[in-house]
Amino acid sequence: MFQTVRNWWKGGTGKVTARLFAFEFIVVVTGVLVAQALANWAQERAALIAKNEAKDRAEFEIRDNMYVAKVYLTAIPCFEERMREVMRDASRGPIDRQLAVRPSLKSSGLTKIPDQSALLLRKEDGGQWSNVFDSLVRNVSDLESRSSKVADEWGKIVLAERGSGEVSIGDRLAAREAAANILAHLRGMRINSNNILESGSKLGLKPRSLSESEYGPAKSCSAIWESGRSDPPLTANG
């Protein structure tokens, strides 16, 4: 058997077959490597596009939240004065119905960036953009949580409203406690709003007016109470 193989190789047929096998092997391996490189390139490009889209969406939402923060910074002093009025009046007796009416509050939020895009963004500039975004996420979440608590507490003030039937001392105390809680939440909202505007500015962004372009930050407290909105119509602000 070994003699037959040696004769096959010496006859030249074996050498031709070996060279052909080597050539085909190189072609196949090269094709696999090229295909793998193209797949990796396509995957990296898709990840880069997704990262850029995530960043664009985040900055769009950040501008919205900066607008919400701006609205709150102008409305909070009016809310605080209203709560102090509730506490003063409730200490003496039932309160006027208008003090129990809460204006609409703004909603805020940031969409979570997918993990792969978040990792690429953190590598992009040493984490500077991502660190600011993380701070924004915390402040936006806190702002939304506190505004929800303000809405819940404000609903308790109606207990001391003279049009709600007999108002007991307990009802008046509950209204005063709710107003005190609202004042505490408003202080936190002021801090969150300032942080949001400061962080957005670090990213070179400015507040963006929402789709309701006919509304805006209040220029007077009366505009808020008359419109029932924390961002009254611009005509009422004029």
Side-chain angles (χ1 to χ4, degrees):
M1 182 182 68
F2 292 110
Q3 184 63 39
T4 302
V5 172
R6 282 196 294 270
N7 290 337
W8 171 75
W9 181 261
K10 289 179 180 179
T13 305
K15 294 179 181 180
V16 172
T17 302
R19 286 195 295 269
L20 181 60
F21 173 78
F23 173 75
E24 291 179 347
F25 178 78
I26 291 172
V27 169
V28 171
V29 171
T30 301
V32 171
L33 293 175
V34 170
Q36 186 176 9
L38 287 174
N40 290 340
W41 175 84
Q43 187 176 16
E44 290 175 0
R45 180 171 175 79
L48 182 62
I49 292 174
K51 182 264 293 182
N52 291 335
E53 289 177 347
K55 185 176 182 180
D56 289 343
R57 181 177 62 251
E59 293 188 343
F60 184 88
E61 293 179 355
I62 290 168
R63 293 177 63 200
D64 278 351
N65 284 283
M66 291 174 72
Y67 173 82
V68 171
K70 191 175 180 181
V71 166
Y72 275 138
L73 285 177
T74 57
I76 285 173
C78 301
F79 295 168
E80 290 174 329
E81 178 54 35
R82 178 58 52 101
M83 291 305 103
R84 294 188 186 100
E85 189 175 358
V86 168
M87 295 180 74
R88 288 194 301 267
D89 288 5
S91 67
R92 296 190 291 263
I95 64 174
D96 291 337
R97 180 182 180 279
Q98 63 180 9
L99 298 182
V101 177
R102 174 183 61 80
S104 63
L105 302 176
K106 307 301 295 180
S107 60
S108 54
L110 282 173
T111 302
K112 183 181 183 298
I113 295 179
D115 292 341
Q116 185 178 26
S117 295
L119 181 61
L120 291 174
L121 284 168
R122 193 166 292 280
K123 291 180 177 179
E124 190 173 59
D125 61 356
Q128 294 182 21
W129 188 94
S130 297
N131 289 338
V132 175
F133 180 78
D134 291 344
S135 175
L136 279 162
V137 169
R138 289 191 295 271
N139 278 285
V140 168
S141 177
D142 287 347
L143 181 64
E144 179 67 14
S145 175
R146 285 174 170 138
S147 66
S148 295
K149 291 175 181 177
V150 165
D152 291 341
E153 293 289 344
W154 207 310
K156 300 174 184 177
I157 295 175
V158 71
L159 292 171
E161 191 250 302
R162 57 171 49 95
S164 299
E166 184 177 353
V167 178
S168 67
I169 294 178
D171 293 332
R172 289 157 50 197
L173 289 175
R176 281 173 55 83
E177 181 180 0
N181 290 337
I182 290 173
L183 286 171
H185 295 316
L186 291 174
R187 285 192 290 271
M189 290 174 65
R190 177 181 281 109
I191 293 172
N192 294 140
S193 296
N194 280 319
N195 288 343
I196 290 169
L197 288 172
E198 181 181 354
S199 295
S201 296
K202 288 181 180 178
L203 300 179
L205 303 176
K206 295 182 178 180
R208 185 187 73 88
S209 178
L210 300 177
S211 57
E212 298 176 313
S213 57
E214 67 271 23
Y215 300 93
K219 293 183 179 179
S220 68
C221 293
S222 60
I224 292 177
W225 309 128
E226 291 171 5
S227 67
R229 297 178 60 109
S230 53
D231 57 337
L234 296 177
T235 52
N237 277 329

